Amino acid sequence: MLLRGIRGYSKLKQMWEEIKIPVPWGHIAGKWWGPQDRRPILVLHGWQDNCGSFDRLIPLLKPELGYLAIDFPGHGLSSKLPLGVSYYWSDYIVFLRRVVQYFNWPKVSLLGHSISGTIAYNYATLYPKAVDFLIAIEGLRPLTDLLNITELGVNVDRFIKYDHLLSLDQEGPSYPYNELERRLHADSAKSISLETCKYVLERNIARSTTKPDEFYFTRDLRLKLLPFLEYAGDVTKMTDKFTCPTLLCLGTVVTKKFELLTQTHEFYNVLKKINPKFEIHTVEGTHHVHLNNPEPVAELINPFIERYDVEDWSI
């Protein structure tokens, strides 16, 4: 049974239904767009974003299909992980698997942005017969080498500090709304335009109880730190398992903050040799091209879905 609720102060036109998926530490929140009588495409956001980052893209996609865009734990309206627990990249594969098993889907179709393109790739190599197709936007690679080991000691101390602050159960610093937009724009290396910040902020902030005209960030403080551990070993070891049809969309603006996720062209060449249904396209825009410039992204995704929408998705 889906637990449903509506965001109280939303000013955006609603074309979706808010859902909650129960998990042992609370719930995973999400937006279900379109019909619910058939298996949807599962939509996954980038690190420190939330499912609101797809609010401009999903309405442009094939309307006869459903799209379930979730907030990962600690993001958006999903529950934070328990105190004392840190975030690990491999956990995100577990979170994804929990959603699939909750709905008892025999297969899943995935659309992921940034780190979620990478999470989806790794899921597809672990469960190659359980993925119809994969659409990745600005991120597709193994879960390796995503952590600067020289910063590990500093980040451990920061984790303990943030864990303590969360235990106090207090509001964080509050700001006027336009200041939050400016901060999000700057923190994304200006990848999220000021005009589209509202789509991410909608699920990342709450109104201050002491300063009614100001807001504070509600996402987990621990998300300021990249997860501690990744996979190790030969990055090409699992590529022979990667056989599902895959579309990769890359923005034209390369930013140092995100290049580790996107500038892996040697790896893409390996995938091309192994998977004849792997295709790459470039779209004018930044790392958040699907949010700032969704029309050309949708023009690539819709025909891709038409080619590979061959399964009976009735549920």
Side-chain angles (χ1 to χ4, degrees):
M1 179 178 179
L2 301 183
L3 305 176
R4 298 180 169 91
I6 303 302
R7 188 65 160 167
Y9 53 83
S10 174
K11 296 181 181 179
L12 304 176
K13 182 180 179 181
Q14 187 167 312
M15 303 167 60
W16 42 267
E17 184 170 13
E18 187 78 31
I19 71 164
K20 292 183 178 180
I21 301 165
V23 290
W25 62 91
H27 67 268
I28 292 176
K31 296 180 176 183
W32 193 313
W33 300 72
Q36 296 190 18
D37 60 347
R38 58 180 301 178
R39 174 163 56 89
I41 294 176
L42 187 58
V43 183
L44 313 170
H45 62 79
W47 187 250
Q48 295 197 59
D49 293 342
N50 56 62
C51 69
S53 65
F54 292 95
D55 280 2
R56 300 188 71 212
L57 175 63
I58 292 178
L60 303 178
L61 301 182
K62 293 173 66 66
E64 65 270 25
L65 299 182
Y67 304 88
L68 174 55
I70 63 170
D71 293 331
F72 275 124
H75 298 74
L77 304 185
S78 288
S79 301
K80 299 177 176 67
L81 293 183
L83 294 179
V85 177
S86 60
Y87 290 83
Y88 296 85
W89 291 130
S90 54
D91 285 343
Y92 284 79
I93 297 176
V94 179
F95 303 148
L96 173 51
R97 190 64 174 168
R98 283 184 181 275
V99 173
V100 171
Q101 291 190 351
Y102 174 76
F103 290 106
N104 198 28
W105 294 330
K107 287 189 174 184
V108 66
S109 302
L110 299 169
L111 193 170
H113 168 242
S114 192
I115 189 61
S116 282
T118 285
I119 298 300
Y121 164 79
N122 285 267
Y123 184 92
T125 61
L126 293 174
Y127 302 99
K129 296 181 179 180
V131 178
D132 290 317
F133 58 77
L134 165 59
I135 301 165
I137 302 171
E138 279 278 292
L140 186 76
R141 55 163 296 157
L143 285 173
T144 55
D145 305 322
L146 291 175
L147 177 69
N148 185 346
I149 194 68
T150 62
E151 298 179 358
L152 181 58
V154 173
N155 283 344
V156 168
D157 289 341
R158 287 175 178 167
F159 167 75
I160 294 173
K161 173 186 174 181
Y162 293 156
D163 211 45
H164 170 68
L165 290 174
L166 287 171
S167 72
L168 300 178
D169 195 26
Q170 297 175 345
E171 294 180 6
S174 61
Y175 309 92
Y177 188 83
N178 59 355
E179 174 64 12
L180 294 181
E181 290 180 312
R182 188 194 67 77
R183 285 173 175 264
L184 179 60
H185 174 63
D187 288 347
S188 72
K190 300 183 179 180
S191 175
I192 304 177
S193 69
L194 282 171
E195 295 75 20
T196 60
C197 282
K198 61 185 178 182
Y199 295 97
V200 176
L201 288 176
E202 177 69 17
R203 301 172 75 84
N204 261 3
I205 63 173
R207 190 181 296 276
S208 172
T209 58
T210 58
K211 300 177 180 178
D213 293 331
E214 296 187 359
F215 301 84
Y216 63 95
F217 285 107
T218 56
R219 65 192 177 200
D220 196 328
L221 270 175
R222 293 169 293 183
L223 297 179
K224 290 185 176 183
L225 309 174
L226 288 178
F228 291 149
L229 300 178
E230 344 312 333
Y231 291 162
D234 183 0
V235 299
T236 63
K237 188 174 182 180
M238 294 290 285
T239 53
D240 62 329
K241 305 289 187 182
F242 188 64
T243 58
C244 68
T246 300
L247 169 66
L248 173 61
C249 300
L250 295 175
T252 55
V253 179
V254 178
T255 306
K256 186 174 178 60
K257 180 173 183 176
F258 305 110
E259 64 181 358
L260 196 60
L261 285 170
T262 61
Q263 300 304 298
T264 55
H265 296 285
E266 290 184 7
F267 178 65
Y268 301 155
N269 290 334
V270 172
L271 295 185
K272 288 178 182 178
K273 293 177 182 179
I274 292 171
N275 188 346
K277 296 180 180 179
F278 173 55
E279 55 186 271
I280 303 177
H281 298 273
T282 302
V283 180
E284 187 71 29
T286 68
H287 186 64
H288 287 79
V289 61
H290 65 302
L291 177 58
N292 300 331
N293 190 25
E295 289 81 5
V297 179
E299 289 174 4
L300 291 172
I301 291 176
N302 282 327
F304 178 83
I305 293 175
E306 287 178 3
R307 286 198 298 277
Y308 298 110
D309 178 18
V310 297
E311 294 281 341
D312 179 4
W313 292 11
S314 301
I315 55 176

